[in-house]
Amino acid sequence: MKKVFSRPKSLKDMPFHYCPGCTHGIAHRLVCEVIDELDIQGVAVGVGSVGCSVFTMNYFDIDMLQGAHGRAPAVATGIKRVLPDRVVFTYQGDGDLAAIGTGEFIHAATRGEKITVIYINNAVYGMTGGQMAPTTLMGQRTKTTPGGRDKDINGFPIKVCEILVPLEGSAYVARVSLHNPKSIIQAKKAIKKAFTVQIKGLGFSLVEVLSTCPTNWSLTPLEAVKWLEENMIPYYPLGEFKTPAEVV
Ligand SMILES: Cc1ncc(C[n+]2csc(CCOP(=O)(O)OP(=O)(O)O)c2C)c(N)n1
Ligand code: SF4
């Protein structure tokens, strides 16, 4: 019988703890498929963040460390400088990366650290119960913006990719989404490119992955992917913002 589905080698046989319809699990699988295809399971080192994805070390069958909240790029920098032959990446939520960790990713990028950041943007703090994140959309209701995000009170949502593009140390910057199969295939291509940029020693790479949080958006899984497509993509346009000539 033809085998049509199997688990990536680098993804442990362990049920995800994520809520139904959460796309963290898809993002995990894509990272592991890329690790397998690039044959880097033995040299890949992941740095987990604090947030719903805090248990990444339970899922990725590679060397994993846990950074303090927001500090994963600093931890990854240390690992990569000591062990330059490793392929080092962080896996961070938007609260982790774009709130408490704002200084970390910007400085890692501007230094041109040869690390890869997988940045999961679900427009909310998932783990702590749905408070506003720096990425929460204008008008979006959260636990701390019950009347909707208001620019006069909360400011504007942060566009991480657009911040990184002008920095000379950033080599590859892309934004992808997980709302349908076509976009998932594109997301995997971007993650593979980001790792390839690191392997070729070309500098800092980041892939922003638009993700769902049906639980804190108070939507069903199906409504959540539609909400992402209709509300997040217009504000966070998809695409490759910066690609080195060496990696087309
Ligand atoms: C120093 C510190 N401040 C605050 C927290 C509380 N905290 C834990 S996870 C989190 C936000 C997580 O949101 P995000 O990074 O968007 O990830 P998600 O849960 O949505 O995947 C916060 C504020 C903490 N653990 N440590
Ligand atoms: S709270 Fe949101 S981000 Fe966290 S596991 Fe549930 S759906 Fe995913």
Side-chain angles (χ1 to χ4, degrees), residues 4 9 26 37-38 45 128 131 139 147 201-202 226 232:
V4 291
K9 216 165 31 117
I26 297 175
E37 287 173 22
L38 294 174
V45 182
T128 47
Q131 299 89 348
L202 300 174
K226 283 195 183 134
M232 289 185 78

Side-chain angles (χ1 to χ4, degrees), residues 17-71:
H17 72 284
Y18 300 114
C19 308
C22 176
T23 42
H24 262 307
I26 297 175
H28 284 14
R29 185 184 167 94
L30 296 183
V31 170
C32 289
E33 284 181 0
V34 167
I35 289 172
D36 283 7
E37 287 173 22
L38 294 174
D39 197 18
I40 54 170
Q41 189 179 8
V43 293
V45 182
V47 184
S49 75
V50 177
C52 283
S53 62
V54 70
F55 296 127
T56 40
M57 75 270 289
N58 290 348
Y59 304 129
F60 293 180
D61 197 2
I62 57 169
D63 284 340
M64 291 289 303
L65 279 93
Q66 181 66 48
H69 196 31
R71 302 326 185 246

